[in-house]
Amino acid sequence: MKIDIEERLLHFKQPAGTSRGVYTERRIWLLRASDCSAVGTGECAPLPDLSCDALLPEQYVKVLRGYCDEVERTGQLPFDALRDYPSMLFGLETALYTLHSTLFDTPFTRGEVGIPINGLVWMGTYEEMSRRIEQKLAQGFHCVKLKIGAINFDDELALLKQIRQRFGPSDVELRVDANGAFAPDEALGKLEQLSHYALHSIEQPIRAGQWEQMAELCRQSPLPIALDEELIGINAPDRKRELLDTICPAYIILKPSLHGGMAGCREWIAEAHDRAIGSWITSALESNVGLNAIAQFCSDVYGEQITMPQGLGTGQLFTDNIDMGLEIRGDKLWRVKNCALSIKH
């Protein structure tokens, strides 16, 4: 077996604003595992200043090459050694598992059903966000997720009010993602104001690493709290259990590139299930190569009757994305064909 690596730089159609800054481009590494009869593809996509394995590009590719060489020699995936390199683990998992077959055989992968997804509204000015909300509603989304925390909080409340004046909770589900933007001493008051708009949940209201403050917030919050960034870097099983037992969130949100690859996400889901904690899966600004794998993984984890909207709508963000046969129809993601990926030599 041979594994080739290609670095690519993707460009956003429009700047993607988060509370951590604005993205205009995205660096990824594509893997192509091949033997005499088959080819498997994967994507390694660490997020700068967020992923626990977000090294400088030259360092990242050196470490990645080392693990690729080990897999070439042994034919095995060194899962425990890769726990602290989740984006590399995810890329290698996908490349190896697709070497001789599709990643998973499910109704979604066969193109028989679609996966419900949320419509994602990126941060921007009040006018920009209002326009994006209208676009998502016009496209038929029944679940809309707003990135908040970067503009005036009263303006963000006004956007939610604008939706709720037209659509009740049974018509449109609203989620918000603060990306850790609230200060601990102001978070509860803001959650109380947000709760007036019948939100499904809020992601990561305060920054990660403040377990006691987050636990207290989960106990007092009028809104269900979902953890996202909080899970990054928590890779050992005992630490996963400790985090869930300490904070007791309503939900965890899993991104294979950030949270331990597919194997690590399965650990999180099993531990959460034992504690009656819900979960859903999202992409993390991967190209369609990664998104295709994440969607297939999602369909395997949650079965053919997925009712909770997943966060898999980022495939249309780039001007130079890679065709992997994914298509959004209404508020569902469909897989319509299997595309081969060309890796430069």
Side-chain angles (χ1 to χ4, degrees):
M1 178 174 56
K2 187 175 188 299
I3 302 176
D4 295 307
I5 304 172
E6 179 196 346
E7 180 179 325
R8 289 197 187 183
L9 193 64
L10 304 178
H11 300 86
F12 285 89
K13 293 178 180 177
Q14 58 188 26
T18 75
S19 61
R20 293 174 176 267
V22 178
Y23 291 105
T24 59
E25 58 186 28
R26 180 78 163 96
R27 190 184 308 273
I28 64 170
W29 286 265
L30 299 174
L31 304 181
R32 181 179 184 269
S34 58
D35 60 17
C36 296
S37 60
V39 174
T41 60
E43 176 180 352
C44 303
L47 278 167
D49 302 320
L50 186 60
S51 299
C52 64
D53 57 353
L55 309 173
L56 292 173
E58 59 272 19
Q59 295 174 319
Y60 186 90
V61 75
K62 181 179 180 180
V63 175
L64 177 60
R65 182 69 262 172
Y67 282 116
C68 289
D69 290 346
E70 181 176 347
V71 173
E72 287 179 350
R73 288 193 306 270
T74 66
Q76 302 294 320
L77 192 65
F79 173 65
D80 284 332
L82 281 164
R83 278 186 180 274
D84 291 333
Y85 300 94
S87 64
M88 298 183 196
L89 173 58
F90 176 58
L92 282 164
E93 282 178 313
T94 307
L96 292 184
Y97 298 162
T98 58
L99 187 54
H100 292 284
S101 65
T102 57
L103 193 54
F104 298 104
D105 182 20
T106 68
F108 169 76
T109 66
R110 296 192 297 269
E112 298 167 3
V113 301
I115 298 175
I117 62 176
N118 60 248
L120 179 60
V121 176
W122 288 95
M123 289 176 179
T125 65
Y126 177 90
E127 292 74 18
E128 289 170 338
M129 293 182 71
S130 180
R131 184 174 65 253
R132 291 167 189 167
I133 290 168
E134 292 298 327
Q135 290 171 347
K136 296 301 178 185
L137 295 174
Q139 289 167 9
F141 283 96
H142 294 91
C143 177
V144 176
K145 172 181 164 180
L146 279 68
K147 294 273 190 179
I148 64 172
I151 65 173
N152 182 276
F153 185 63
D154 288 338
D155 286 343
E156 292 169 339
L157 293 176
L159 289 169
L160 296 170
K161 182 178 181 180
Q162 170 185 314
I163 300 173
R164 277 290 170 253
Q165 286 176 334
R166 297 165 54 198
F167 301 98
S170 61
D171 301 312
V172 174
E173 180 179 284
L174 290 177
R175 300 174 180 175
V176 294
D177 181 3
N179 287 123
F182 300 161
D185 60 355
E186 68 179 11
L188 184 59
K190 289 190 171 183
L191 295 186
E192 289 170 348
Q193 293 181 73
L194 288 166
S195 70
H196 297 156
Y197 303 103
L199 305 186
H200 170 272
S201 57
I202 179 169
E203 298 177 30
Q204 203 69 45
I206 62 175
R207 64 176 173 80
Q210 304 174 94
W211 286 18
E212 294 302 327
Q213 293 95 325
M214 184 69 85
E216 184 63 23
L217 204 54
C218 287
R219 283 191 289 270
Q220 297 189 48
S221 174
L223 286 176
I225 291 177
L227 302 185
D228 181 355
E229 290 94 336
E230 200 73 64
L231 312 182
I232 297 172
I234 309 298
N235 300 319
D238 59 341
R239 285 285 284 167
K240 293 179 180 181
R241 290 188 286 269
E242 182 183 0
L243 182 147
L244 295 176
D245 288 338
T246 300
I247 298 179
C248 300
Y251 300 101
I252 58 173
I253 301 167
L254 296 163
K255 301 178 173 74
S257 291
L258 295 175
H259 301 135
M262 291 182 282
C265 285
R266 288 189 191 275
E267 288 182 347
W268 276 114
I269 291 168
E271 295 293 348
H273 182 268
D274 288 346
R275 293 160 176 79
I277 295 170
S279 66
W280 68 87
I281 291 172
T282 83
S283 53
L285 302 181
E286 296 87 356
S287 78
N288 279 334
V289 176
L291 178 60
N292 174 54
I294 294 167
Q296 290 193 49
F297 172 62
C298 180
S299 71
D300 183 69
V301 167
Y302 296 125
E304 60 185 86
Q305 298 298 327
I306 302 176
T307 56
M308 177 178 285
Q310 308 292 304
L312 306 176
T314 59
Q316 298 176 321
L317 294 176
F318 303 108
T319 61
D320 43 8
N321 210 334
I322 301 157
D323 182 15
M324 293 298 292
L326 298 173
E327 181 178 285
I328 295 177
R329 304 178 203 160
D331 64 350
K332 291 186 178 180
L333 179 70
W334 291 78
R335 187 168 184 263
V336 294
K337 62 180 177 179
N338 189 27
C339 297
L341 176 64
S342 174
I343 300 286
K344 297 175 183 175
H345 293 272

